[in-house]
């Protein structure tokens, strides 16, 4: 659909800006006359593709199940990919000509390149014909669509005409059971099906029955299929009698009309109005008139209103004036969108989660064995296959109920159920009701988000997806681009948050700045997304030996996460000539040699955790590469041909065996992120457990570089850093006293610096921070490993900018302050994370009342002098995790630790041998029951 078009358009937008391409065109145009017209033709392709994209957007989700329209969309997708292929081949051949020195000395009359570019022009002519065919088909389709929409409009007008009539005979709650718009799904989960909802039902009931006098808004959110509507319906049915004056259930849905919704609300509440209330409206009342009528009808009355399936904030904000300010009234909203859920106060939001394994099995049994005696009991011989079915539903009530109903109609024998199980999941995927869970949410996504969403299926299933990795991959693919007011990274993070807000992705962890650290895709969403991804020419191979491929010559994105050639039929002999992306995390496959030689348009190469030990020189031929990921591989060096990768944006060599970068790497002037360090001690007990690389000369040529991790300090590095003002994250090790001042002055001049790691050359080296006076007010993270020369915590970094720091980790240092905590609390009050490792101190550390008001995490490690920790009342009121390890002198439980009501994680490990006895004597297990992760 639109995702393929948008990808092609991004290529069209950049091809004319490429200097090498322009030079080739001018040179070759003398021999291949039509080549001169190529930029104009490509621009025309862009115009046509944009027009097709607009047509598809106008279709919305209503017509997407029409087979004719689906076929036309497939043709448009094929066309968009063809355009992209031509552009990429054109750019590739132009860059290859430059590398061959063709533009300087080659005899153009005898060049094979004339033939190559002639073939490209033939492709252009073919594309023009394809566009004509697609346009003709579009005209025919639009005529059908117009006719369909006219029929729908007539139906809506008739419905609206009847909805404003005050004297109506339809049942007051008819909307609850009415058929939803196409693309939605019926409620398969009835009241009697609901299990494991007691807590949520009680919470909603409590919110409805509080004594709050103002109108209260309550939201229930979560991904599709979790039973939001079913939960709210059972609460509504039980509590509506407590709102006898007025109660109404209104289904909003993705496609709605505010006038229609207000008219329905008025109709429902008028049925419950006393005879004295008389509101007469014409058949064409507007929002203002309907709002006024509802206000008059509800005057001095307490009401309960449910707005079911709300997709946009505007749907509520345009209706709410009609029922705001009513004493004791309640409004409940169900939604998949977290931005809609945020309309309610924080204490009135309920986010549903998938059912646990026990609750899932109970729900399944209540459906599949509802006729059994004892009631809903699973026969022992079916327990194994029943458990497998439930696991495949991943806690979604909708999928569980559907599976239970399919199996309830079958003979209850092990043989029969095993046969059905083998086909059930594919049937579940193909079932209209369950497929609608994904379809509605997916088709509601803007085009730029669809690519980002589908891309997540390339990453390993069951593993959290790091935010930063997703951001860099999306940028490399061209899914997100910078705007006038935002970098490409900021735009990509906005996309990630929007997918999370829409419940298409789920947050796993947040970092100390409360940013999303990792996220995941729910398993059932992933399974259904794979079906969509296949249409977009994604391919995958996994560790179960499953190979999902279209024609390999057509695959553009390919994932082999977990694949091993030793256990499965190897795809090594397969050629992927149109491949743009290979994600091969933790895989062992012989297909890499084919990729390096055949996949000349490759843009992303992610080989994290793969057992490779060298990179072939042929990687230099992959001119389109923007992303290379070699994290945690055994690679020891990069070939010199890496200097040919002029489009490279991300180079991830973290935790490899590489010690030095090729000197020519500085030719990759578009590089934005460089990660290069290796573990010298994976247990992290030694001072230099992580070691950086030797920086290449002229590193300042990386003018677009934002991330530099990690390079050795030197006078040349300090000199180069003065000219790299775009750096945001910097990690430097092997710092000695002689390089301190120059290095710190260079760092001080970086206006966008936000994260900084500094490591001395060894534990005896003392670093002087007097010259470090950062001008950046964005500095949030500071990690220092090594001794401090004089001054201690009174240096400018803490005195001037300490109030901005959020994350501070100090290790292997002797400070002037014997108890660093009071000084840190004074100078860095906004910390959310504090770690002290091998930091000198006196025997008693004191966290005074009111200190660190925002701190979430406290880490104290290997501080042998510490014998006691005192936490005064009011200290660290928001702390969530405390990790105290290897404090061999600590023999007593920290005073006041049981007063930290926000604490959920507490580790007290490898302490004095008398510590456990003191813990037991003070009955701390009973006092710390509120701590979910307790390790002593």
């Amino acid at each position: 659909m639109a995702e393929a078009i948008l990808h092609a358009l991004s290529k069209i937008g950049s091809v004319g800006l490429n200097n090498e391409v322009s030079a080739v065109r001018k040179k070759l145009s003398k021999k291949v006359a039509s080549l001169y017209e190529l930029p104009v033709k490509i621009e025309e392709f862009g115009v046509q593709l944009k027009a097709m994209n607009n047509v598809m957007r106008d279709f919305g989700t209503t017509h997407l199940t029409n087979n004719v329209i689906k076929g036309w969309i497939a043709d448009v997708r094929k066309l968009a990919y063809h355009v992209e292929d031509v552009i990429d081949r054109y750019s590739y051949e132009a860059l290859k000509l430059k590398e061959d020195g063709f533009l300087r000395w080659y005899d153009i009359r005898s060049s094979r390149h004339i033939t190559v570019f002639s073939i490209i022009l033939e492709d252009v002519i073919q594309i023009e014909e394809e566009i004509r065919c697609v346009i003709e088909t579009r005209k025919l389709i639009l005529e059908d669509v117009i006719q369909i929409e006219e029929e729908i409009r007539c139906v809506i007008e008739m419905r609206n005409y009847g909805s404003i009539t005050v004297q109506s005979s339809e049942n007051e709650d008819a909307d609850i059971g009415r058929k939803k718009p196409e693309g939605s799904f019926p409620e398969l989960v009835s009241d009697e099906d609901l299990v494991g909802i007691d807590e949520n039902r009680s919470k909603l009931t409590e919110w409805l029955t509080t004594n709050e006098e103002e109108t209260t808004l309550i939201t229930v959110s979560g991904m599709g299929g979790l039973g939001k509507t079913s939960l709210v319906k059972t609460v509504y049915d039980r509590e509506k009698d407590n709102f006898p004056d007025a109660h109404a259930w209104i289904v909003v849905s993705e496609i709605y009309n505010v006038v229609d919704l207000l008219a329905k609300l008025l109709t429902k509440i008028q049925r419950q109005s006393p005879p004295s209330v008389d509101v007469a409206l014409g058949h064409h009342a507007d929002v203002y008139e309907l709002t006024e009528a509802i206000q008059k009808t509800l005057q001095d009355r307490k009401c309960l209103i449910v707005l079911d399936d709300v997709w946009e904030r505007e749907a509520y904000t345009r209706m709410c004036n009609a029922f705001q300010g009513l004493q004791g009234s309640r409004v409940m909203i169900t939604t998949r969108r977290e931005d809609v859920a945020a309309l309610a106060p924080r204490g009135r939001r309920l986010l549903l989660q998938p059912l646990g394994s026990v609750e899932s099995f109970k729900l399944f049994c209540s459906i599949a064995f509802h006729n059994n005696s004892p009631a809903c009991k699973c026969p022992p011989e079916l327990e194994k296959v029943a458990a497998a079915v439930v696991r495949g539903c991943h806690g979604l009530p909708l999928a569980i109920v559907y599976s239970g109903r399919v199996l309830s109609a079958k003979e209850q024998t092990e043989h029969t159920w095993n046969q059905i199980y083998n086909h059930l999941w594919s049937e579940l995927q193909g079932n209209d009701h369950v497929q609608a869970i994904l379809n509605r949410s997916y088709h509601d996504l803007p085009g730029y988000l669809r690519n980002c969403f589908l891309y997540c299926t390339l990453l390993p299933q069951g593993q959290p997806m790091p935010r930063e990795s997703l951001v860099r991959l999306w940028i490399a693919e061209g899914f997100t681009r910078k705007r006038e007011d935002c970098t490409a990274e900021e735009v990509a993070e906005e996309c990630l948050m929007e997918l999370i807000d829409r419940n298409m992705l789920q947050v796993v962890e947040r970092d100390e700045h409360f940013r999303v650290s990792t996220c995941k895709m729910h398993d059932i969403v992933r399974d259904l997304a794979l079906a969509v991804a296949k249409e977009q020419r994604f391919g995958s191979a996994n560790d179960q030996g499953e190979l999902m491929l279209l024609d390999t010559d057509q695959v553009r994105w390919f994932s082999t996460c977990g694949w091993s050639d030793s256990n499965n039929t190897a795809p090594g002999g397969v050629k992927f000539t149109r491949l743009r992306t290979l994600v091969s995390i933790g895989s062992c496959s012989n297909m890499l040699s084919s990729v390096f030689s055949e996949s000349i348009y490759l843009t992303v190469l992610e080989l994290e955790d793969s057992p490779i030990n060298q990179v072939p020189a042929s990687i230099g031929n992959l001119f389109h590469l923007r992303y290379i990921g070699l994290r945690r591989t055994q690679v020891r060096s990069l070939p010199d041909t890496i200097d040919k990768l002029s489009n490279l944006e991300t180079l991830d060599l973290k935790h490899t065996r590489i010690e030095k970068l090729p000197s020519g790497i500085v030719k990759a002037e578009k590089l934005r992120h460089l990660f290069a360090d290796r573990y010298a001690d994976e247990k992290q007990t030694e001072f230099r457990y992580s070691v950086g690389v030797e920086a290449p000369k002229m590193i300042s040529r990386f003018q677009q570089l934002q991330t530099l991790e990690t390079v050795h300090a030197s006078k040349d590095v300090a000199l180069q850093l003065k000219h790299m003002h775009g750096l945001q994250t910097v990690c430097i090790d092997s710092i000695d006293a002689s390089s301190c001042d120059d290095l710190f002055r260079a760092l001080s001049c970086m206006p966008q610096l936000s994260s900084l790691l500094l490591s001395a050359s060894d534990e005896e080296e003392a670093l002087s921070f007097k010259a470090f006076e950062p001008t950046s007010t964005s500095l949030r993270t500071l990690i220092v490993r090594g001794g401090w020369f004089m001054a201690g915590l009174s240096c400018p970094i803490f005195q001037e900018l300490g109030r901005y720091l959020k994350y501070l980790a100090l290790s292997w240092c002797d400070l002037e302050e014997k108890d660093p905590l009071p000084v840190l609390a004074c100078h860095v009050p906004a910390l959310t994370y504090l770690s002290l490792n091998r930091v000198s101190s006196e025997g008693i550390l004191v966290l005074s009342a009111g200190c660190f008001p925002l701190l979430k995490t406290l880490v104290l490690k290997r501080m042998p002098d510490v014998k006691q920790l005192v936490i005064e009342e009011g200290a660290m009121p928001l702390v969530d995790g405390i990790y105290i390890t290897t404090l061999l002198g600590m023999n007593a439980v920290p005073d006041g630790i049981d007063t930290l009501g926000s604490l959920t994680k507490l580790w007290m490990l490898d302490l004095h041998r008398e510590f456990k006895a003191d813990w037991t004597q003070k009955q701390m297990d009973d006092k710390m029951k509120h701590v979910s992760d307790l390790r002593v």
Side-chain angles (χ1 to χ4, degrees):
M1 260 185 62
E3 47 271 39
I5 292 181
L6 294 176
H7 203 45
L9 289 174
S10 69
K11 297 287 182 72
I12 290 173
S14 61
V15 67
L17 303 176
N18 191 304
N19 293 332
E20 289 79 11
V21 170
S22 298
V24 168
R25 179 173 56 82
K26 290 177 182 178
K27 190 80 173 179
L28 287 178
S29 292
K30 298 176 182 178
K31 299 296 177 182
V32 187
S34 300
L35 195 63
Y36 190 79
E37 301 175 3
L38 187 57
V40 177
K41 291 182 180 295
I42 289 177
E43 287 295 327
E44 177 60 25
F45 294 165
V47 171
Q48 294 295 341
L49 287 175
K50 286 179 181 177
M52 295 173 194
N53 185 46
N54 290 335
V55 171
M56 285 189 285
R57 288 175 61 187
D58 288 341
F59 284 156
T61 61
T62 307
H63 306 288
L64 294 180
T65 55
N66 182 296
N67 288 330
V68 175
I69 292 178
K70 288 171 68 175
W72 181 76
I73 289 173
D75 290 340
V76 174
R77 183 187 300 116
K78 182 179 179 181
L79 170 63
Y81 285 148
H82 195 175
V83 171
E84 184 186 9
D85 287 342
V86 169
I87 292 173
D88 283 347
R89 186 173 186 187
Y90 182 34
S91 301
Y92 175 85
E93 293 294 344
L95 288 167
K96 192 168 179 58
L97 281 172
K98 180 188 177 187
E99 293 299 325
D100 292 345
F102 168 82
L103 295 178
R104 292 192 299 273
W105 56 267
Y106 206 89
D107 182 0
I108 194 167
R109 289 170 296 181
S110 61
S111 172
R112 78 164 185 89
H113 297 293
I114 295 294
T115 302
V116 170
F117 282 96
S118 296
I119 292 173
I120 290 175
L121 288 172
E122 291 175 5
D123 273 339
V124 170
I125 294 171
Q126 183 181 347
I127 288 173
E128 290 178 320
E129 180 60 30
E130 290 174 4
I131 288 176
R132 279 192 288 271
C133 291
V134 169
I135 290 174
E136 286 301 317
T137 307
R138 181 186 67 189
K139 291 177 181 177
L140 296 175
I141 291 175
L142 285 176
E143 291 176 3
D144 290 339
V145 169
I146 291 171
Q147 182 178 350
I148 293 170
E149 289 183 342
E150 177 63 22
E151 293 172 359
I152 292 174
R153 186 184 63 80
C154 293
V155 171
I156 290 175
E157 284 188 357
M158 292 176 64
R159 186 182 66 188
N160 286 346
Y161 180 85
S163 66
I164 301 180
T165 304
V166 177
Q167 303 298 325
S168 175
S169 60
E170 64 176 327
N171 182 277
E172 65 174 319
D173 295 323
D175 269 341
I176 296 178
R178 76 171 176 86
K179 184 174 185 246
K180 294 191 179 182
E182 187 172 351
S184 180
F185 53 89
E187 287 296 335
L188 296 182
V189 187
S190 62
D191 193 3
E192 61 269 18
D193 293 335
L194 293 171
V195 299
I197 69 160
D198 292 343
E199 182 180 349
N200 288 332
R201 184 163 52 199
S202 297
K203 186 176 293 185
L204 289 179
T205 301
E206 178 186 346
W207 292 348
L208 289 179
T209 56
T210 57
N211 294 323
E212 293 169 307
E213 294 185 357
E214 297 297 320
T215 300
T216 301
L217 177 62
I218 299 165
T219 57
V220 179
S221 61
M223 62 179 290
L226 284 177
K228 299 181 294 293
T229 297
S230 298
L231 170 64
V232 173
K233 179 181 180 294
T234 191
V235 174
Y236 174 83
D237 286 343
R238 294 184 180 196
E239 297 299 322
K240 65 184 180 182
D241 290 340
N242 293 324
F243 296 82
D245 293 339
H247 51 265
W249 182 291
I250 305 294
V251 179
V252 178
S253 296
E254 182 181 4
I255 301 172
Y256 66 91
N257 180 288
V258 174
V259 171
D260 188 22
L261 296 175
L262 289 172
K264 286 182 177 296
L265 177 58
L266 179 60
T267 299
K268 290 176 180 291
I269 61 176
Q270 280 183 332
R271 296 196 202 102
Q272 304 152 21
S273 302
S276 58
V277 177
D278 183 20
V279 178
L281 288 174
H283 295 311
H284 300 289
D286 58 19
V287 171
Y288 176 78
E289 291 171 329
L290 288 166
T291 298
E292 204 172 47
I294 293 170
Q295 289 174 339
K296 183 177 180 181
T297 304
L298 292 177
Q299 189 173 4
D300 300 324
R301 300 165 68 191
K302 185 173 75 169
C303 68
L304 170 60
I305 298 171
V306 174
L307 302 178
D308 182 33
D309 197 24
V310 179
W311 286 69
E312 296 178 354
R313 292 170 64 97
E314 187 179 7
Y316 171 75
T317 57
R318 294 186 64 190
M319 293 180 66
C320 65
N321 287 338
F323 41 76
Q324 287 285 24
L326 301 174
Q327 188 171 359
S329 293
R330 303 290 182 262
V331 179
M332 290 199 290
I333 287 176
T334 69
T335 181
R336 303 182 188 196
R337 300 282 299 271
E338 290 308 304
D339 60 331
V340 175
L343 287 166
R346 190 171 297 276
R348 292 294 182 267
R349 303 177 199 168
L350 180 59
L351 175 62
L352 296 190
Q353 300 293 346
L355 297 177
S357 57
V358 174
E359 294 169 340
S360 295
F361 194 78
K362 182 179 178 182
L363 174 58
F364 174 80
C365 291
S366 71
I367 304 298
F369 308 115
H370 64 279
N371 290 325
N372 288 20
S373 181
C376 306
K377 178 73 173 178
C378 178
E381 67 273 15
L382 296 180
E383 286 182 353
K384 184 176 180 180
V385 65
V389 170
V390 171
R391 282 196 300 272
C393 295
H394 310 297
L396 279 187
L398 184 67
I400 295 169
V401 170
Y402 172 75
S403 302
R405 288 185 178 168
V406 169
L407 288 167
S408 69
K410 307 299 180 182
E411 183 183 4
Q412 291 187 6
T413 65
E414 186 176 6
H415 174 73
T416 301
W417 274 44
N418 276 318
Q419 280 188 321
I420 296 170
Y421 169 68
N422 292 331
H423 302 284
L424 182 60
W425 188 241
S426 60
E427 186 177 348
L428 186 63
Q429 286 180 299
N431 179 267
D432 290 341
H433 302 327
V434 180
Q435 186 69 41
I437 298 172
L438 177 63
N439 283 347
R440 285 190 67 199
S441 297
Y442 175 73
H443 290 304
D444 182 58
L445 295 176
Y448 62 89
L449 279 184
R450 292 178 191 169
N451 280 323
C452 296
F453 170 69
L454 293 179
Y455 200 83
C456 296
T457 63
L458 293 176
L459 301 179
Q461 184 174 5
Q463 296 184 22
M465 297 179 289
R467 167 183 55 87
E468 293 181 339
S469 294
L470 279 178
V471 164
R472 290 190 290 268
L473 286 166
W474 289 345
I475 292 172
E477 294 286 357
F479 296 160
T480 63
R481 294 182 177 274
K482 68 177 182 179
R483 298 195 302 257
E484 289 184 5
D485 57 336
C486 294
T487 64
E489 285 76 9
E490 290 170 335
V491 174
E493 292 208 19
E494 287 178 6
C495 291
L496 177 64
M497 294 311 301
E498 188 168 354
L499 285 172
I500 290 171
D501 287 343
R502 291 169 176 264
N503 285 303
M504 302 298 278
L505 297 178
Q506 299 172 314
V507 177
V508 177
E509 289 183 323
R510 293 185 181 271
D511 63 17
E512 290 73 20
H513 308 308
F514 205 66
R515 296 176 306 185
V516 173
S517 177
T518 57
C519 59
K520 68 177 182 179
M521 180 182 285
H522 192 281
D523 287 346
I524 199 167
V525 173
R526 177 187 171 86
D527 289 336
L528 293 168
L530 284 172
V532 180
K534 187 175 181 180
E535 294 180 4
Q536 305 297 326
R537 301 191 184 172
F538 283 69
S540 69
N542 60 36
D543 55 359
Q544 280 76 45
E546 298 169 346
L547 186 65
M548 189 189 87
L549 287 172
L550 304 171
D551 179 355
T552 55
D553 189 47
Q554 301 298 323
V555 172
R556 308 178 87 82
W557 294 275
F558 192 59
S559 169
T560 64
C561 299
W563 178 274
S564 176
D565 287 344
S566 61
N567 300 326
N568 303 296
T569 303
V574 177
K575 295 181 180 180
F576 297 90
T577 56
R578 286 180 168 79
L579 191 66
R580 266 52 178 197
T581 295
L582 175 64
V583 178
S584 186
I585 297 176
S587 297
C588 180
S589 174
N590 61 14
M591 67 176 290
L592 285 179
S593 58
S594 172
V595 169
F596 283 122
S597 61
E598 302 291 339
S599 305
I600 60 175
Y601 306 131
L602 199 68
T603 301
V604 169
L605 179 63
E606 176 58 272
L607 302 176
E608 180 179 315
D609 288 318
S610 297
I612 64 170
N613 51 33
Q614 63 179 355
V615 177
S618 58
I619 196 173
N621 294 326
L622 305 180
F623 298 131
H624 290 286
L625 266 180
R626 295 180 182 174
Y627 183 105
I628 299 177
L630 299 172
R631 183 173 296 211
R632 291 190 295 274
T633 63
Q634 301 302 309
V635 174
R636 294 180 176 274
S637 63
L638 293 177
D640 291 335
T641 54
I642 200 82
D643 64 357
K644 296 182 180 180
L645 304 181
S646 57
N647 289 308
L648 192 63
E649 295 176 350
T650 295
L651 180 59
D652 189 349
L653 309 174
K654 200 171 183 68
H655 301 161
T656 62
R657 297 176 179 267
I658 295 173
E659 298 183 14
K660 185 178 180 180
L661 298 174
S663 58
I665 189 67
V666 295
K667 293 182 181 179
E669 296 182 1
K670 295 180 181 178
L671 198 67
R672 303 167 72 88
H673 305 282
L674 174 60
F675 303 89
D677 59 36
R678 65 189 190 281
Y679 271 137
D681 169 30
E682 293 193 14
K683 295 183 179 179
Q684 301 186 19
T685 57
E686 300 297 324
F687 177 79
R688 297 194 69 194
Y689 65 83
S690 181
V691 182
V693 299
E694 182 180 334
K697 301 293 184 183
M698 300 300 294
I699 195 173
S700 61
R701 290 181 65 176
F702 293 142
Q703 281 299 295
Q704 297 185 39
L705 199 66
Q706 298 177 16
T707 305
L708 179 60
E709 298 182 12
T710 303
V711 295
H712 298 327
S714 68
K715 292 209 175 275
D716 179 66
V717 166
L719 181 64
Q720 296 292 317
L721 288 176
K722 289 182 179 179
H723 307 289
M724 301 175 71
H725 294 160
L727 280 169
Q728 299 176 14
T729 299
V730 179
C731 300
I732 300 178
D733 71 354
S734 302
I735 306 173
D736 56 32
S738 64
S739 61
C740 265
D741 286 355
D742 289 341
L743 178 63
F744 289 166
R745 287 193 187 98
L747 293 171
S748 298
C749 296
M750 294 179 181
Q752 300 181 55
L753 188 64
S754 62
S755 181
L756 180 63
L757 182 149
L758 303 168
S759 180
S761 55
D762 58 58
E763 58 265 42
E764 302 299 326
E765 192 73 52
L767 305 179
S768 174
F769 286 82
K770 288 185 176 180
F772 188 35
E773 301 183 53
T775 56
S776 172
T777 57
S778 300
L779 187 59
R780 298 291 183 267
T781 299
L782 178 63
I783 303 171
V784 180
R785 191 184 308 139
W788 296 45
F789 179 76
M790 307 275 298
L793 299 177
S794 61
C795 59
I797 175 61
F798 292 118
Q799 295 288 333
E800 302 298 328
L801 293 175
R803 64 185 183 276
Y804 298 116
L805 283 177
K806 299 290 186 182
Y807 184 111
L808 178 63
L810 306 177
S811 59
W812 296 82
C813 60
D814 294 326
L815 301 173
E816 286 186 345
E817 298 80 7
K818 291 305 179 183
D819 183 356
L821 292 178
V823 181
L824 288 172
C826 176
H827 293 311
V828 283
L831 283 183
T832 59
Y833 179 98
L834 174 62
S835 174
L836 302 178
N837 178 22
R838 297 182 187 270
V839 175
S840 62
S841 68
E842 56 188 17
I844 301 177
L845 298 180
V846 179
L847 288 156
S848 57
C851 72
F852 300 117
L854 302 178
L855 195 68
K856 295 283 189 179
T857 305
L858 174 66
V859 180
L860 302 175
K861 297 172 64 177
R862 298 185 181 92
M863 299 173 67
D865 297 329
V866 175
K867 294 180 174 58
Q868 188 177 359
L869 175 64
V870 177
I871 304 172
E872 296 182 356
E873 186 175 357
M876 307 185 296
L878 301 179
V879 70
D880 176 69
I882 295 179
Y883 306 89
I884 301 176
T885 62
T886 325
L887 269 61
L888 301 180
M890 181 174 281
N891 57 11
V893 174
D895 291 345
I897 197 166
D898 55 325
T899 66
L900 300 174
S902 60
L903 197 63
T904 63
K905 295 178 284 289
L906 175 61
W907 294 12
M908 308 283 291
L909 304 174
D910 299 323
L911 308 180
H912 193 276
R913 62 181 179 273
E914 296 177 1
F915 179 84
K916 284 191 176 181
D918 188 60
W919 179 275
T920 303
Q921 181 183 351
K922 293 178 179 177
Q923 299 180 332
M924 295 305 297
D925 284 334
D926 292 334
K927 297 178 181 179
M928 307 302 290
K929 284 183 177 179
H930 62 285
V931 179
S932 56
D933 185 2
L934 179 61
R935 308 185 192 185
V936 179

